[in-house]
Amino acid sequence: MARKKTLGFYSLDPSQHTVLEDSQGLLTGALVSGLGFYLLGRVGLLTGGTAGVAFLVHYAFNISFGLLFFIVNLPFYYLSFKRLGLAFSAKTFVAIGLVSVVTEIERRFLLIDYLHPFWGALMGGLLLGYGLLALYRHRASLGGVGILAIYIQEKFGIQAGLIQLAFDACVMAAAFLVLDWHVVIWSILGAVILNLFLAINHRSDRYIVVR
């Protein structure tokens, strides 16, 4: 028999979250992820997924990263709703919106005079990993490429991981047209750190993202 909530804001069932628990998870996940994006942006780096596309366009045309990140993810919401449900899609929409706002206002509260690309890649990748882990544990995400990969896997039998890897490889290859080669190398390091962190710390048999 499922245990009841306590005081209406804390769930004793580890597989369920209250609205307050989800709200703090989305907010803190967005804040930490936004800081990760801020560090990458301060040294001109990028990452994989839709955020990588947003960074590329941002660097090429000097358009707001936060606005681009929000717009780039718009086409994936329908797929998210069809494949993963309304709750996941709504929380993902909120998380992406929060990150977009945070990355735009971050510079008003934090100014870094010097940051080495290595440290930017290391800390940016780790912070994004922590932020995504918080969002995953509250059944939300920060991008649509993973959703698209799942759809293609179910439709055509191609492994989702390979699709994600191919997309990120294309983003990094395109980066050579916009950024210096050493910047792309640091960016790849940051992406590797992010994915290793998630691979080690997030397992579906320990904490289920979507139910």
Side-chain angles (χ1 to χ4, degrees):
M1 181 177 178
R3 288 175 288 183
K4 300 292 185 182
K5 299 173 184 176
T6 300
L7 300 178
F9 61 84
Y10 179 75
S11 175
L12 292 175
D13 183 352
S15 67
Q16 301 295 326
H17 293 111
T18 64
V19 173
L20 183 60
E21 287 175 320
D22 277 339
S23 298
Q24 67 80 30
L26 294 180
L27 179 60
T28 54
L31 287 172
V32 174
S33 298
L35 180 57
F37 284 137
Y38 175 76
L39 293 182
L40 292 177
R42 288 298 295 175
V43 285
L45 305 183
L46 68 153
T47 187
T50 51
V53 175
F55 267 125
L56 277 179
V57 179
H58 166 66
Y59 294 141
F61 301 103
N62 197 30
I63 302 173
S64 161
F65 169 79
L67 177 62
L68 287 169
F69 183 59
F70 185 79
I71 292 175
V72 167
N73 278 290
L74 287 176
F76 297 100
Y77 288 123
Y78 175 75
L79 267 181
S80 175
F81 172 72
K82 295 293 288 184
R83 308 308 304 176
L84 299 174
L86 177 61
F88 178 88
S89 303
K91 285 188 282 188
T92 295
F93 182 86
V94 170
I96 291 173
L98 285 172
V99 170
S100 298
V101 171
V102 168
T103 55
E104 289 305 301
I105 66 173
E106 195 91 59
R107 64 178 70 95
R108 300 181 183 181
F109 301 94
L110 177 64
L111 180 62
I112 298 176
D113 291 329
Y114 175 75
L115 180 64
H116 192 279
F118 167 73
W119 202 246
L122 174 64
M123 296 306 298
L126 287 175
L127 286 168
L128 281 173
Y130 275 103
L132 281 169
L133 191 62
L135 294 174
Y136 287 167
R137 290 188 169 181
H138 289 270
R139 302 180 186 121
S141 72
L142 270 187
V145 176
I147 299 168
L148 178 63
I150 292 172
Y151 173 78
I152 293 176
Q153 176 176 281
E154 293 179 353
K155 191 77 172 179
F156 302 103
I158 304 173
Q159 290 185 1
L162 293 178
I163 297 167
Q164 182 83 51
L165 180 63
F167 184 90
D168 289 349
C170 289
V171 171
M172 293 300 174
F176 282 105
L177 303 175
V178 179
L179 307 172
D180 292 335
W181 67 268
H182 62 279
V183 174
V184 182
I185 299 302
W186 289 124
S187 298
I188 293 173
L189 173 64
V192 169
I193 291 170
L194 164 62
N195 285 289
L196 281 176
F197 177 88
L198 289 176
I200 293 170
N201 291 284
H202 177 69
R203 283 173 43 182
S204 60
D205 58 340
R206 285 180 176 167
Y207 208 110
I208 301 172
V209 179
V210 182
R211 292 183 58 153

